[in-house]
Amino acid sequence: MVDWNLAVATATRLVRPGPEVSRDEARAVVAELRRHAKSSEEHVRGFTRMAVPGGPASDTPVLVVDRAGWIRANVAGFRQILSPLLGKMQDRRGGLPGGAVLGAVGGKVTGVELGMLLSFLASRVLGQYETFAPATRDLPAGAPGGGRLLLVAPNIVHVERELDVAPHDFRLWVSLHEETHRTQFTAVPWLRDHIESEIQAFLGETDVDPATLLERIREAVQSLGGGRPDGEETAGRGGAAGIIELVQTPAQREILARLTAVMSLLEGHADYVMDGVGPDVVPSVAEIREKFQKRRASGAGRLDQALRKLLGLDAKLRQYRDGERFVRAVVDQVGMDGFNRVWTSPNTLPTKSEIGKPAEWVARVHRKAES
């Protein structure tokens, strides 16, 4: 169904080159990012009061990669998490007349399309905690059941130059955000399995008829043209939301609501921690945050905006914002230890509604615990 090798080859061929740096400067950037990743662990654990059972979070690998390395890592992750769904689709297509030929051709088309999307993303991602990290020849896997922390050096250098901020401070600031994600998953052992089970349940509900799925995606892509010139969406579905709704069953909508809530929590918590730790260890954190927020909010070219909608990047920015507001409101009301009850079990995770109404989460979780 997907020619994964072609996806990697396409993405690495199309991805834009990174900023110009000398060999010595590149080595210095890599070394500094590794130091920051290590030092960030102490800062994050001290601020969040999250203990990592069985050893430090730094037992999981930190990989400073270029854009091609990020592409390879993510293709490997996609291949692992999507394998049950693609296997079902492959079996169904194999029973059709000419299914093997269609599969080979379709796999190459899908591989090229995936490669094109990854080439777009590979120049934008600063860092990532790769939760579903399989063992690969190019990138060693983390501890059993764990993930690995990726920092994309050329993108970090590109953004720090674009914002005209202190490189040392910006690199540490980015490391704090990504280290928070590593701490979340290493301090909360059930979190990875919970998210994976939700994703697999979502995929298990997916219509496995390839022709129907392709037609739905085409309809959703056509809906991208429904935006108003001033950026306000017209009524109806558009962008990534349209794609999601078109492939959903009622059961998938419920699963997606839970996944949206937990991703908002994780991203918002990382932003909250990054800014909370920042004033003590990042002297120019206020300047960095102001410039970075403006960069997030600024519009790009028409094609870039369309791709952001299609890939759900606008929704991801809302997750940062809504999740950070939730975390801040809860900590203000019940303190950090009170907030940390969120990590007790899947039942104490906020619902999608509670992300927007933190007082409801506090009432539900703390009233239940105290009764």
Side-chain angles (χ1 to χ4, degrees):
M1 297 300 300
V2 182
D3 188 328
W4 300 105
N5 292 332
L6 183 57
V8 172
T10 301
T12 53
R13 184 175 69 252
L14 295 179
V15 70
R16 292 182 295 183
E20 291 187 10
V21 295
S22 67
R23 186 180 298 273
D24 289 343
E25 184 179 4
R27 288 183 180 136
V29 170
V30 170
E32 183 173 25
L33 287 172
R34 285 177 176 156
R35 289 196 303 271
H36 285 331
K38 186 172 182 61
S39 66
S40 293
E41 180 184 358
E42 181 180 351
H43 298 312
V44 169
R45 290 178 65 180
F47 182 81
T48 63
R49 303 176 195 170
M50 296 176 71
V52 177
S58 57
D59 285 350
T60 61
V62 176
L63 301 168
V64 182
V65 297
D66 58 11
R67 291 170 177 175
W70 181 87
I71 289 167
R72 290 194 298 272
N74 278 267
V75 166
F78 288 153
R79 188 170 190 169
Q80 175 163 298
I81 199 69
L82 293 175
S83 59
L85 173 63
L86 295 179
K88 289 169 63 176
M89 294 181 72
Q90 186 71 32
D91 291 343
R92 184 161 182 170
R93 174 171 280 180
L96 299 174
V101 175
L102 289 174
V105 174
K108 292 189 181 301
V109 172
T110 307
V112 170
E113 292 173 342
L114 176 60
M116 292 173 66
L117 293 178
L118 286 172
S119 70
F120 172 79
L121 292 172
S123 61
R124 286 158 174 77
V125 176
L126 301 181
Q128 168 185 348
Y129 182 76
E130 194 187 10
T131 312
F132 308 107
T136 68
R137 182 177 60 188
D138 296 331
L139 296 171
R148 55 194 176 195
L149 183 62
L150 305 181
L151 295 171
V152 190
N155 295 349
I156 293 173
V157 172
H158 171 77
V159 174
E160 71 190 26
R161 290 179 178 178
E162 183 181 90
L163 298 181
D164 190 24
V165 293
H168 172 84
D169 287 4
F170 184 74
R171 294 166 194 175
L172 178 55
W173 189 69
V174 171
S175 297
L176 289 169
H177 182 100
E178 302 308 331
E179 176 57 40
T180 302
H181 286 316
R182 180 164 62 165
T183 297
Q184 290 164 348
F185 283 94
T186 52
V188 187
W190 54 264
L191 184 58
R192 179 187 185 277
D193 289 342
H194 171 69
I195 291 177
E196 182 173 15
S197 68
E198 292 278 56
I199 292 173
Q200 292 303 337
F202 183 92
L203 295 177
E205 290 284 334
T206 300
D207 185 346
V208 296
D209 175 40
T212 301
L213 190 60
L214 179 60
E215 181 60 28
R216 289 179 175 181
I217 291 174
R218 284 173 178 165
E219 291 174 3
V221 171
Q222 290 172 0
S223 73
L224 275 174
R228 295 178 181 170
D230 60 4
E232 182 181 350
E233 288 299 318
T234 56
R237 295 174 293 195
I243 291 177
I244 290 171
E245 290 179 7
L246 285 167
V247 301
Q248 278 186 316
T249 65
Q252 282 180 309
R253 293 190 183 97
E254 294 181 7
I255 297 169
L256 185 69
R258 294 194 297 268
L259 281 170
T260 298
V262 72
M263 296 311 297
S264 295
L265 169 69
L266 297 179
E267 296 294 357
H269 183 237
D271 263 13
Y272 178 80
V273 173
M274 178 171 61
D275 289 342
V277 174
D280 291 331
V281 298
V282 182
S284 60
V285 64
E287 177 192 2
I288 291 173
R289 165 56 76 183
E290 180 182 2
K291 290 183 175 181
F292 195 76
Q293 289 287 56
K294 288 181 179 178
R295 184 180 184 273
R296 273 183 178 174
S298 65
R302 190 177 185 85
L303 175 60
D304 191 79
Q305 289 180 2
L307 284 170
R308 287 169 66 87
K309 287 185 179 182
L310 181 61
L311 298 174
L313 298 184
D314 290 337
K316 187 173 179 64
L317 296 183
R318 288 195 296 275
Q319 288 177 352
Y320 285 112
R321 183 177 61 249
D322 297 344
E324 196 273 341
R325 280 201 294 254
F326 170 83
V327 176
R328 186 174 300 280
V330 172
V331 173
D332 287 346
Q333 188 169 346
V334 296
M336 185 64 74
D337 291 334
F339 165 78
N340 281 338
R341 289 189 184 180
V342 79
W343 311 117
T344 304
S345 75
N347 293 329
T348 57
L349 291 172
T351 65
K352 188 176 180 181
S353 174
E354 288 170 343
I355 286 288
K357 300 175 181 178
E360 293 185 359
W361 179 87
V362 172
R364 175 174 67 87
V365 173
H366 283 261
R367 185 189 305 129
K368 182 177 181 180
E370 293 163 1
S371 61

